[in-house]
């Protein structure tokens, strides 16, 4: 089976190890990105906890009306809320979670496109996996774009929003 002809013309869309395209070579795009990502993560964590508590209250009430069957949703509540939160905000029009927007960050694919909901959901899952193995987070210190290992695997880059990108 041969690769598609259009995939051969634009390798950055198919090669997940590709470096960001020429539009991402300005060092101002990456100024303070590492620190801002940490604070964005903390802001998003607080928002996810609040949304999970609200969803837990609703599921608790649902459990009363369903004679306890609704309470079976409790174990998957946090992962479901967190995954939906990240997938639909990071994969949305602003390409950033509320925490990222607060800290002035946005995400792009290495080709310059915005990530879709599927890439955003995969990014959330891989970032949570990376947090469980902290040594994986060290990748950010060994590349100029301050990308984490899951960014490199998915072909994404986090940049400063006010740097003139759309």
């Amino acid at each position: 089976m041969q690769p598609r002809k259009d995939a051969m013309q634009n390798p950055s869309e198919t090669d997940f190890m590709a470096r960001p395209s020429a539009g991402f070579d300005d060092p101002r795009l990456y100024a303070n990105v590492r620190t801002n990502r940490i604070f964005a993560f903390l802001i998003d964590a607080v928002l996810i906890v609040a949304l999970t508590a609200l969803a837990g209250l609703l599921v608790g009430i649902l459990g009363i009306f369903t004679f306890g069957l609704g309470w079976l949703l409790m174990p998957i509540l946090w992962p479901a809320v967190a995954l939906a939160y990240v997938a639909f905000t990071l994969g949305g029009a602003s390409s950033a979670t509320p925490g990222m927007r607060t800290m002035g960050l946005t995400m792009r694919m290495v080709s310059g496109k915005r990530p879709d909901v599927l890439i955003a959901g995969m990014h959330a899952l891989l970032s949570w996996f990376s947090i469980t193995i902290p040594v994986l987070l060290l990748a950010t210190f060994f590349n100029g774009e301050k990308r984490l290992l899951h960014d490199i695997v998915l072909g994404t880059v986090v940049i400063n929003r006010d740097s003139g990108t759309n």
Side-chain angles (χ1 to χ4, degrees), residues 21-144:
S21 61
F24 293 111
D25 54 2
D26 185 358
R28 292 177 295 177
L29 293 173
Y30 309 106
N32 300 320
V33 165
R34 203 177 293 126
T35 304
N36 288 343
R37 281 184 86 163
I38 292 168
F39 285 113
F41 174 79
L42 295 174
I43 292 168
D44 289 329
V46 168
L47 292 173
I48 289 170
V49 166
L51 289 172
T52 302
L54 181 62
L57 180 65
L58 294 175
V59 168
I61 293 169
L62 177 69
I64 293 170
F65 290 114
T66 60
F67 301 108
L69 287 177
W71 295 329
L72 294 174
L73 295 174
M74 286 292 188
I76 65 164
L77 198 57
W78 176 81
V81 168
L83 186 60
Y85 173 90
V86 174
F88 290 113
T89 58
L90 194 56
S94 66
S95 300
T97 63
M100 290 173 69
R101 283 194 302 262
T102 301
M103 298 309 298
L105 300 173
T106 188
M107 180 179 282
R108 294 288 184 269
M109 303 300 294
V110 291
S111 62
K113 295 180 180 178
R114 295 176 184 270
D116 58 12
V117 173
L118 180 62
I119 292 292
M122 289 173 49
H123 190 274
L125 292 174
L126 288 176
S127 66
W128 295 332
F129 176 73
S130 294
I131 290 170
T132 63
I133 305 173
V135 72
L136 297 177
L137 300 175
L138 296 176
T140 188
F141 296 108
F142 300 104
N143 62 73

